[in-house]
Amino acid sequence: MNDLLIKKTTDFFQETFGDAPEKIVLSPGRINIIGEHIDYNDGYVLPAAIDKIICFAFAKSNSKQSKIVAIDLNEEFEVDLTQEIVLSEVVWTNYILGVIKQLQDKGFSFEGFNCVFSSNIPVGSGLSSSAALECGTIFGIKELFGLQIPKVDIALTGQKAEHWVGINCGIMDQFSSVMGLENKVIKIDCKTLEYEYHNADFNDYSLILFDSNVKHSLMTSAYNERRQQCEEGIAIVKSNFPEIKSFRDCTEQTIIDLKDKMSHDVFRRSLFVVKEINRVIQACETLDNGNIELLGQLMFATHEGLSKDYEVSCEELDLLVDLAKAETAVIGSRLMGGGFGGCTINLVKKGQEQQIKDKFSKLYKEAFDIELKIYDVKIGNGTSLYEGAL
Ligand code: ADP
Ligand code: MG
């Protein structure tokens, strides 16, 4: 599948600019096995890069002008690197402009370039096509102009670009897009950026994403509200236990002991955060021991918490997880990402994938009159140069 994408992108570059590209960059989307809504709560996350990618073809333009073509949208734009970079009304161009601006602000010097790109990462389904776009663009500019940018700095620069676009994201998406390794998940400490790889061997189970195909508008306001509630929660913890610095230093009992000092919502959000931080630690152990059934149970528990205590689910996602719970062939399922829509991530017994897909599609359509979208995912490498034959 990716070979076709690479060929299409390269051919398009050749037709548009008359020459072959100098660099081909592949930049992946990501999944998160477990560790949801805790990247901004000093927690750990357990993401991995996937085999769905944006493919970029780059060459120097040998002028001040840069021209970038989004093949999938049939749109293009030009930017003069000697002019001040400002936000545009065309959303996708801002991710590229943001990256250029961040690199310039960091003092990197580079000249005009031409770029075309095309993708098979579903957009806006929570697989972080935006991070793939940012990190792939940075990688391409780095390769074209020989800039010295360590991998972690590519992720941090991508994150800053996304902030500039107006989305106050954590570091997980860009970090996993850049640092991903085939068949590994990355445990990232969102507080220190320390990270470690664990084997992503799911034994007899396949990773399947069910895309609810909905996006409820609550998302942004709820996200901001949850952040505030968690800040309030940790502030209450700190004022009662000055030795505690963050949610990761808390036990569940710490939060329970403070129940009377917190509003009902702040209490439930805080308890979820502490439980979820512990689930990520346990999930790494299950992967190391090959206890995939237990990993599945942790995923179900995460969904329960996200739905009942953190309250970021919706009826479509809850149905998909309920359907999963009713099947012995599905040993784990949870909403993935911010919530209020997007995908569930599922561990489905090998050999029974098609039967589960057919059944869920039918039942989902009957319940909501919405088509279920389905993605098989494999864990792949982070942003890199394509050096195969063209
Ligand atoms: P996601 O969960 O996929 O990251 P976002 O809303 O954060 O969703 O980012 C999606 C945005 O990224 C799109 O609206 C678009 O601006 C940009 N983008 C992603 N993929 C492409 C693509 N193939 N072509 C053009 N723009 C893209
Ligand atoms: Mg995004």
Side-chain angles (χ1 to χ4, degrees):
M1 189 171 63
N2 288 346
D3 288 351
L4 283 177
L5 181 71
I6 294 165
K7 176 151 181 23
K8 173 175 116 180
T9 309
T10 316
D11 288 351
F12 202 101
F13 187 97
Q14 176 94 40
E15 282 159 30
T16 309
F17 297 108
D19 282 315
E22 293 171 51
K23 307 281 180 191
I24 308 286
V25 174
L26 310 182
S27 192
R30 65 104 191 90
I31 52 171
N32 186 26
I33 304 293
I34 201 159
E36 213 60 82
H37 278 283
I38 52 172
D39 55 339
Y40 54 87
N41 279 313
D42 285 344
Y44 313 98
V45 290
L46 198 61
I50 56 175
D51 58 348
K52 301 198 185 308
I53 56 165
I54 303 182
C55 176
F56 302 78
F58 285 94
K60 290 178 189 149
S61 66
N62 299 315
S63 77
K64 290 175 185 163
Q65 289 293 325
S66 295
K67 184 171 183 173
I68 297 104
V69 185
I71 300 176
D72 308 332
L73 301 177
N74 196 19
E75 286 182 17
E76 61 178 51
F77 82 107
E78 288 193 37
V79 51
D80 181 340
L81 300 186
T82 60
Q83 304 287 310
E84 195 197 344
I85 304 286
V86 290
L87 279 170
S88 137
E89 307 222 308
V90 184
V91 174
W92 71 270
T93 67
N94 285 328
Y95 294 97
I96 314 252
L97 291 169
V99 154
I100 293 172
K101 179 167 169 48
Q102 295 310 320
L103 289 173
Q104 287 180 339
D105 287 356
K106 278 180 173 262
F108 287 110
S109 88
F110 51 96
E111 281 143 45
F113 62 91
N114 292 323
C115 170
V116 311
F117 68 95
S118 181
S119 170
N120 55 28
I121 308 171
V123 174
S125 293
L127 302 189
S128 282
S129 63
S130 60
L133 183 53
E134 292 143 11
C135 296
T137 306
I138 298 168
F139 201 94
I141 296 173
K142 162 181 106 70
E143 288 294 324
L144 270 184
F145 298 98
L147 310 181
Q148 299 294 321
I149 316 178
K151 275 184 160 190
V152 172
D153 287 358
I154 296 180
L156 288 166
T157 307
Q159 181 195 23
K160 274 197 158 176
E162 184 130 358
H163 289 175
W164 184 77
V165 173
I167 296 141
N168 189 15
C169 59
I171 187 61
M172 172 169 74
D173 299 350
Q174 291 79 11
F175 202 94
S176 17
S177 184
V178 173
M179 305 297 288
L181 284 181
E182 207 173 333
N183 296 322
K184 302 279 180 192
V185 294
I186 321 169
K187 180 186 173 211
I188 310 169
D189 180 333
C190 298
K191 192 172 165 188
T192 64
L193 284 194
E194 284 170 328
Y195 62 97
E196 61 192 34
Y197 293 100
H198 291 262
N199 280 332
D201 180 357
F202 302 107
N203 298 343
D204 284 339
Y205 297 92
S206 300
L207 278 176
I208 299 181
L209 307 181
F210 293 114
D211 186 342
S212 65
N213 223 340
V214 296
K215 206 172 191 182
H216 296 294
S217 55
L218 263 171
M219 171 87 190
T220 314
S221 60
Y223 179 82
N224 292 333
E225 190 190 59
R226 296 302 176 276
R227 284 192 78 137
Q228 260 174 14
Q229 290 167 330
C230 291
E231 274 169 31
E232 198 181 322
I234 194 62
I236 293 170
V237 172
K238 282 181 184 167
S239 69
N240 285 273
F241 302 104
E243 70 280 11
I244 294 183
K245 301 275 177 285
S246 102
F247 277 121
R248 72 173 58 178
D249 307 326
C250 298
T251 61
E252 288 177 33
Q253 196 59 46
T254 317
I255 306 296
I256 293 167
D257 288 344
L258 294 171
K259 188 171 182 196
D260 293 343
K261 298 200 158 70
M262 295 177 177
S263 71
H264 185 53
D265 281 350
V266 168
F267 170 71
R268 288 183 301 150
R269 313 299 189 231
S270 303
L271 193 57
F272 167 80
V273 169
V274 172
K275 286 183 176 176
E276 185 69 357
I277 289 175
N278 288 326
R279 277 190 286 262
V280 178
I281 297 167
Q282 272 183 285
C284 292
E285 290 167 10
T286 66
L287 282 171
D288 294 345
N289 303 332
N291 190 350
I292 302 306
E293 281 77 14
L294 182 55
L295 176 64
Q297 286 166 27
L298 292 170
M299 289 164 69
F300 279 132
T302 291
H303 187 80
E304 182 83 9
L306 287 169
S307 181
K308 304 267 165 55
D309 292 331
Y310 216 70
E311 294 184 297
V312 291
S313 188
C314 57
E315 56 178 350
E316 294 87 353
L317 292 168
D318 284 346
L319 176 79
L320 288 170
V321 173
D322 284 344
L323 291 176
K325 274 192 185 148
E327 298 291 335
T328 47
V330 189
I331 56 160
S333 177
R334 65 176 197 84
L335 79 82
M336 189 182 78
F340 301 104
C343 295
T344 63
I345 175 168
N346 302 267
L347 288 170
V348 181
K349 184 99 177 164
K350 285 187 181 147
Q352 303 200 42
E353 294 101 327
Q354 197 55 50
Q355 175 216 329
I356 294 291
K357 288 177 188 175
D358 292 345
K359 187 167 179 184
F360 283 26
S361 302
K362 180 170 170 285
L363 293 171
Y364 190 73
K365 172 93 182 167
E366 277 170 17
F368 300 111
D369 200 22
I370 300 171
E371 295 297 330
L372 186 64
K373 288 196 278 180
I374 301 173
Y375 316 120
D376 293 305
V377 286
K378 297 235 163 8
I379 294 185
N381 283 318
T383 312
S384 53
L385 269 190
Y386 174 73
E387 292 177 298
L390 288 176

